[in-house]
Amino acid sequence: MTRPAFPLRAGSLGKIAQTLAIGTVGGGVLTLLGVPASWLCGSMVAVSFASLTGVSGPIPRWLRAIAFLLLGVSMGASVTPDIVENVSKWPVSITALILIQPVVIGLVWLYLHRIVGWTSSTALFSAIPGALSYVVAVADQSDADMQKVTVAQSIRVFILVISLPAIVTLIGSGGEAASGLPLKAASGLDQAAIQLAAGSVGAALFYWLRVPAGVLLGAFAGSAVLHGTGIAEGRLPAYFLVPGLVIMGSVIGGRFVGATFSNVAAVLKPATIAFAIAMAVNTVLAIGIAELLNAPFAKTLLAFAPGGLDAMTVLAFALALDPAFVAAHHTSRFLMMIVVLPILARRMLKKGPDA
């Protein structure tokens, strides 16, 4: 049986409440400062620091599921006829994203292994973009340094969530990025109830089908059907949405639980350079695809960014950058990794069939 991420034992509920309080304060401060995607970024920064000091703990799976449900339902409100019309263009950019991944992984692996001197397995699993849980599960079967892999992967997501809102603000998104609450809220509780019901059905179905980030994408799909058919209008009200963003930010920040400042300092420089290499390659491709498809560069950049499926999709929503487009690309890359990673690891690490 899989152990829960944060077992509910004596005192643990207090630790969860403390973590969420820290995240809420962080999000509130950035909201007052007018920072883009403030509730997500602020909670992540605050909880990351608290995790490294041992003050906060990881968010349990059941609470993550609630946040993913709320966020997925709200994201479904972004589905419009214009987005549906552009779906036919997605295979072009998805194919380009998948084809470039071996180049990205290879370049980062070369840097971490040949230049930094990490072992081949540690470099490989640190180079894989996104899919942290799956990467850690596969890496655990090898001789990789799990602490370096986990910290390097967490640093990459941290940098992305911190930097992309500023980049989007600089280049322009066409959304309401400064508010951190994109899209108009639903007019009444009856609309919210309908959306939550549809989202819950979708989340349960996708979870049962073992779809990656199933609760988030299932809730998104259920809500998207309602909005695409005109049955529902608007996202969930802020009193539903803000807690979801705070929990999501706390989930990202909670990845540093168990690490120390010295652990992070030891990995920070190579992890940052590795991120820069991956981001540079993906950015060049995003520029080309945006020109080819006549699509906004901001959302293309987010779709190609080397981050996790859940974090990047939620960030796209917080920045009003077509989360459906972003989710489709990150899901495709994740599914590719599920198939390719074991083969790639066996070939590059010269392991046997049991690896």
Side-chain angles (χ1 to χ4, degrees):
M1 180 181 295
T2 303
R3 294 177 59 191
F6 191 59
L8 290 179
R9 55 185 183 275
S12 62
L13 286 177
K15 193 79 167 183
I16 295 170
Q18 182 172 296
T19 300
L20 294 179
I22 292 170
T24 302
V25 171
V29 169
L30 291 197
T31 298
L32 291 175
L33 295 175
V35 175
S38 55
W39 290 108
L40 179 66
C41 296
S43 56
M44 180 195 70
V45 172
V47 173
S48 294
F49 183 82
S51 297
L52 290 171
T53 57
V55 175
S56 66
I59 301 299
R61 296 176 188 272
W62 61 268
L63 194 52
R64 277 185 277 174
I66 293 174
F68 287 161
L69 174 64
L70 295 175
L71 293 171
V73 169
S74 291
M75 283 159 46
S78 65
V79 175
T80 64
D82 290 339
I83 290 177
V84 175
E85 288 179 6
N86 289 324
V87 168
S88 61
K89 300 179 182 178
W90 293 4
V92 175
S93 53
I94 288 174
T95 300
L97 176 64
I98 290 175
L99 291 177
I100 202 65
Q101 293 316 298
V103 176
V104 173
I105 294 170
L107 289 174
V108 174
W109 176 83
L110 283 172
Y111 165 71
L112 293 176
H113 181 50
R114 302 294 187 186
I115 298 178
V116 179
W118 289 6
T119 66
S120 182
S121 56
T122 302
L124 172 63
F125 292 116
S126 299
I128 303 297
L132 176 62
S133 299
Y134 182 67
V135 168
V136 170
V138 178
D140 197 42
Q141 307 298 317
S142 73
D143 62 348
D145 186 327
M146 296 304 296
Q147 187 174 80
K148 284 184 178 177
V149 171
T150 304
V151 173
Q153 292 275 2
S154 299
I155 287 174
R156 185 183 66 245
V157 176
F158 183 93
I159 295 174
L160 279 169
V161 176
I162 283 294
S163 62
L164 284 176
I167 293 171
V168 167
T169 300
L170 181 64
I171 64 179
S173 67
E176 300 173 18
S179 69
L181 294 176
L183 310 175
K184 183 179 178 181
S187 57
L189 287 178
D190 55 337
Q191 281 283 324
I194 293 172
Q195 293 180 42
L196 286 171
S200 298
V201 172
L205 177 62
F206 277 43
Y207 180 81
W208 180 71
L209 293 174
R210 298 181 181 272
V211 174
V215 175
L216 178 68
L217 296 183
F220 186 9
S223 177
V225 170
L226 292 184
H227 287 88
T229 56
I231 297 176
E233 295 180 354
R235 59 162 173 81
L236 294 180
Y239 50 80
F240 284 113
L241 181 55
V242 170
L245 291 168
V246 169
I247 294 171
M248 184 65 210
S250 301
V251 168
I252 300 172
R255 290 178 173 178
F256 290 102
V257 170
T260 63
F261 285 104
S262 60
N263 296 146
V264 174
V267 179
L268 182 59
K269 181 179 178 180
T272 302
I273 295 175
F275 160 78
I277 293 171
M279 194 65 189
V281 175
N282 283 300
T283 298
V284 170
L285 182 63
I287 292 172
I289 292 298
E291 288 292 328
L292 178 64
L293 301 182
N294 193 28
F297 171 61
K299 79 170 186 179
T300 308
L301 178 64
L302 202 58
F304 282 39
L309 165 60
D310 47 6
M312 292 300 99
T313 304
V314 173
L315 182 58
F317 167 67
L319 294 171
L321 288 177
D322 192 355
F325 178 83
V326 175
H329 286 71
H330 283 279
T331 301
S332 300
R333 183 170 62 189
F334 182 91
L335 293 175
M336 182 200 76
M337 289 301 170
I338 290 178
V339 176
V340 171
L341 183 54
I343 300 172
L344 184 65
R346 192 177 302 130
R347 287 182 177 275
M348 292 185 67
L349 306 179
K350 297 181 181 179
K351 296 287 186 181
D354 295 332

